[in-house]
Amino acid sequence: MKTQIVVVGGGAGGLELVRRLGAKLGRDDFDVILLERNTTHIWKPLLHEVAAGSLDANLDEVGYRSHGHRWCYRFFYGSLEGIDRAARQVIVAPVLDEDGTELIGRHRIRYDYLVIAIGAISNDFGTPGAREHCLFLDDRDQADRFRQKLLNHCLRVSRTLSENPTSDAKVEIAIVGGGATGVELAAELYNAAAGLRHYGLEVFDESRLKVTLIEAGPRILPMLPEKLAQAAKEELEVLGVRVLTGTAVVEVTAGAMRTKSGETIPADLKVWAAGVRAPEILREIGGLETTRGNQLVVKPTLQTTRDDRIFAIGDCCYFLPDGAKNPVPPRAQAAHQMATTAYRNILALFAQRELEPFVYRDKGSLVSLSRYSTVGSLMGNLIGGRMAIEGRLARMVYLSLYRLHLISIHGWLKGMALIVIGHVNRVVRPRLKLH
Ligand SMILES: Cc1cc2nc3c(=O)[nH]c(=O)nc-3n(C[C@H](O)[C@H](O)[C@H](O)COP(=O)(O)OP(=O)(O)OC[C@H]3O[C@@H](n4cnc5c(N)ncnc54)[C@H](O)[C@@H]3O)c2cc1C
């Protein structure tokens, strides 16, 4: 029997890991398997652009089957449901087709080594009405749903304006969460709205958007220095966004959000982009140690605390470095760095070498306010600490993050080719995805 390495979740961390393992180990003595509940991958930090329509996910998605063929891993379509540690098997939920008919029954996949990389979802903290009435930006389907609803409301307002040019009809959007996702989405909406008049909604423009960004903490973008967060806030306000800080949402209804201070914020579209927790499925999975937010607790080697054969990487794991006050944050750069350590440690296990500890290197944070501005801070030994950046340089670094992801999942040659194709697409394709 071949040694079987199963990686669950083909996102920022998992996809890079299976590519490297497949390329290194090949198919002769090893079987590298990716279990993933979607058939294609889209880099999660692009989801706000998919939601606003300024990025066509069909052009940027990666099909797991062809990618697996190229990089010598096998792709299994399905959703993790449980782990039977005694039998060393993962349990895969029944696969259903669109109308709910069972295509493949519940089944099991044997593993010698298992890596859980299933990411995280937003945390609505049990706020009444949030699950029922809010849209979340946790995956491609949700981003697509948001875009469709946004277009429908823009069409409605545009129609009203055509019939009555003096109408003050607006598309009202409330976004909970002043972190990078909420801030980037708010700015991207104005960019998209500004483009709609070129695509048949002649009377519609960005002045017809009414966006409210609601943050419970004392300021937006807590991961950035205060000066930069203030600059981002001012930029949002210039665009027309109403930014509320120190404001907790206590209830969401079909047509509004209600705050703790008693204000009712009417909204056609309500987005929840706050908080992070790992998927419910991980709660006590296989008897492994988890946190209250369902994250799997890992040792410095990224092995789970109760089973050396099971690793966890990316947003779904909880790792508190020695002496640190906070755990490694749920970021794409952390998932990427963890994929590298997990890759080295799995190879070390085969070679019976000592495993290396994971060391998180914070390279800084960047927040894109669409085409209007980019702000952020870079950190690292190269620049000797922390450096605030804005404008063109920040934009270039921001764009390079996705390019690095492309190279890490496709290799240099294809990665560079895709970057060039991306530039060509920007010239030849429509600015907005409207279908
Ligand atoms: C809108 C948005 C913007 C962001 N912007 C930034 C940014 O600018 N910079 C940054 O560093 N980070 C950003 N992040 C965070 C970043 O995307 C995550 O930290 C990163 O993607 C985590 O990687 P991961 O591999 O742990 O999980 P993910 O990339 O989320 O991948 C998880 C994978 O697991 C699959 N999966 C989930 N459940 C199951 C299951 N039960 N069975 C099988 N498969 C499953 C999912 O389909 C997915 O493919 C952003 C996130 C969002 C939502």
Side-chain angles (χ1 to χ4, degrees):
M1 273 203 294
K2 293 182 185 179
T3 303
Q4 208 146 288
I5 307 157
V6 177
V7 177
V8 188
L15 186 56
E16 180 177 341
L17 180 61
V18 282
R19 180 193 87 84
R20 294 185 71 174
L21 288 171
K24 175 79 180 173
L25 302 173
R27 295 180 193 267
D28 292 344
D29 302 317
F30 293 89
D31 217 349
V32 178
I33 292 174
L34 171 66
L35 173 67
E36 165 59 56
R37 62 177 179 183
N38 292 312
T39 51
T40 58
H41 160 82
I42 180 96
W43 199 48
K44 218 172 164 188
L46 297 178
L47 283 184
H48 65 283
E49 293 183 41
V50 176
S54 40
L55 183 107
D56 184 346
N58 293 333
L59 300 176
D60 280 73
E61 68 188 350
V62 180
Y64 290 115
R65 288 192 193 287
S66 52
H67 191 259
H69 174 70
R70 165 69 185 87
W71 293 106
C72 298
Y73 67 85
R74 287 203 288 157
F75 167 60
F76 282 27
Y77 175 50
S79 204
L80 174 76
E81 195 180 62
I83 304 174
D84 180 344
R85 279 169 56 208
R88 278 199 226 139
Q89 291 172 338
V90 290
I91 303 160
V92 185
V95 177
L96 310 178
D97 73 4
E98 273 179 3
D99 54 21
T101 313
E102 188 173 293
L103 292 175
I104 306 171
R106 179 171 290 108
H107 58 286
R108 290 170 171 243
I109 305 172
R110 177 182 71 82
Y111 66 81
D112 293 295
Y113 297 97
L114 175 63
V115 184
I116 311 284
I118 64 171
I121 52 177
S122 319
N123 193 350
D124 62 22
F125 306 103
T127 308
R131 275 283 124 203
E132 296 87 322
H133 302 296
C134 283
L135 292 153
F136 296 80
L137 280 192
D138 291 331
D139 59 38
R140 159 93 188 267
D141 284 350
Q142 298 179 30
D144 282 340
R145 266 185 63 214
F146 178 89
R147 186 184 66 255
Q148 201 47 57
K149 281 180 181 284
L150 173 68
L151 284 172
N152 289 346
H153 281 288
C154 293
L155 196 61
R156 172 181 60 78
V157 169
S158 164
R159 183 81 199 137
T160 310
L161 286 171
S162 305
E163 284 169 0
N164 174 13
T166 58
S167 161
D168 68 347
K170 296 211 163 151
V171 179
E172 295 181 303
I173 303 171
I175 304 171
V176 180
T181 305
V183 168
E184 292 188 333
L185 176 67
E188 201 60 55
L189 290 171
Y190 282 83
N191 176 39
L196 281 175
R197 65 171 157 265
H198 305 297
Y199 298 101
L201 275 68
E202 289 85 1
V203 287
F204 194 89
D205 65 25
E206 62 274 33
S207 68
R208 292 289 155 184
L209 282 187
K210 190 173 173 192
V211 178
T212 310
L213 183 69
I214 310 164
E215 166 58 45
R219 67 175 174 98
I220 62 166
L221 301 173
M223 71 288 201
L224 290 188
E226 191 146 6
K227 202 172 128 249
L228 288 176
Q230 183 59 27
K233 180 171 181 265
E234 283 162 17
E235 188 76 50
L236 287 176
E237 285 171 344
V238 168
L239 288 175
V241 181
R242 182 176 173 226
V243 182
L244 300 177
T245 50
T247 307
V249 170
V250 291
E251 191 190 358
V252 184
T253 62
M257 290 204 177
R258 207 164 54 75
T259 70
K260 199 172 176 185
S261 60
E263 188 184 353
T264 299
I265 300 164
D268 304 305
L269 287 170
K270 296 152 292 287
V271 185
W272 197 280
V276 174
R277 67 184 169 91
E280 202 56 35
I281 178 76
L282 291 185
R283 182 179 296 272
E284 293 174 9
I285 194 165
L288 297 170
E289 187 187 0
T290 51
T291 62
R292 276 177 57 201
N294 303 334
Q295 286 172 306
L296 290 163
V297 183
V298 293
K299 301 193 284 193
T301 54
L302 301 182
Q303 290 162 302
T304 49
T305 47
R306 293 182 190 156
D307 194 327
D308 279 353
R309 286 182 181 269
I310 304 181
F311 292 74
I313 62 169
D315 288 4
C316 72
C317 84
Y318 176 91
F319 175 52
L320 185 66
D322 248 0
K325 279 200 213 105
N326 296 313
V328 172
R331 301 244 187 95
Q333 56 173 315
H336 160 73
Q337 293 174 29
M338 285 181 171
T340 302
T341 301
Y343 167 76
R344 291 199 190 121
N345 281 349
I346 289 170
L347 296 187
L349 280 174
F350 298 148
Q352 296 183 337
R353 284 197 316 266
E354 204 178 320
L355 273 60
E356 63 179 63
F358 174 69
V359 180
Y360 177 57
R361 292 190 175 83
D362 188 350
K363 307 249 169 78
S365 299
L366 287 158
V367 176
S368 159
L369 302 177
S370 189
R371 66 189 159 92
Y372 307 104
S373 166
T374 305
V375 294
S377 64
L378 293 183
M379 289 173 79
N381 297 336
L382 261 182
I383 51 173
R386 190 170 188 139
M387 180 178 83
I389 56 169
E390 271 183 86
R392 282 180 90 85
L393 175 64
R395 183 79 195 150
M396 270 167 55
V397 182
Y398 181 85
L399 292 176
S400 71
L401 297 178
Y402 181 49
R403 291 173 187 153
L404 288 174
H405 175 65
L406 286 178
I407 290 166
S408 72
I409 60 169
H410 292 295
W412 275 98
L413 206 62
K414 188 166 176 193
M416 293 305 286
L418 286 171
I419 291 165
V420 174
I421 291 169
H423 281 296
V424 175
N425 276 334
R426 256 190 288 286
V427 177
V428 300
R429 310 278 309 187
R431 260 178 58 199
L432 294 178
K433 177 174 163 59
L434 299 167
H435 55 276

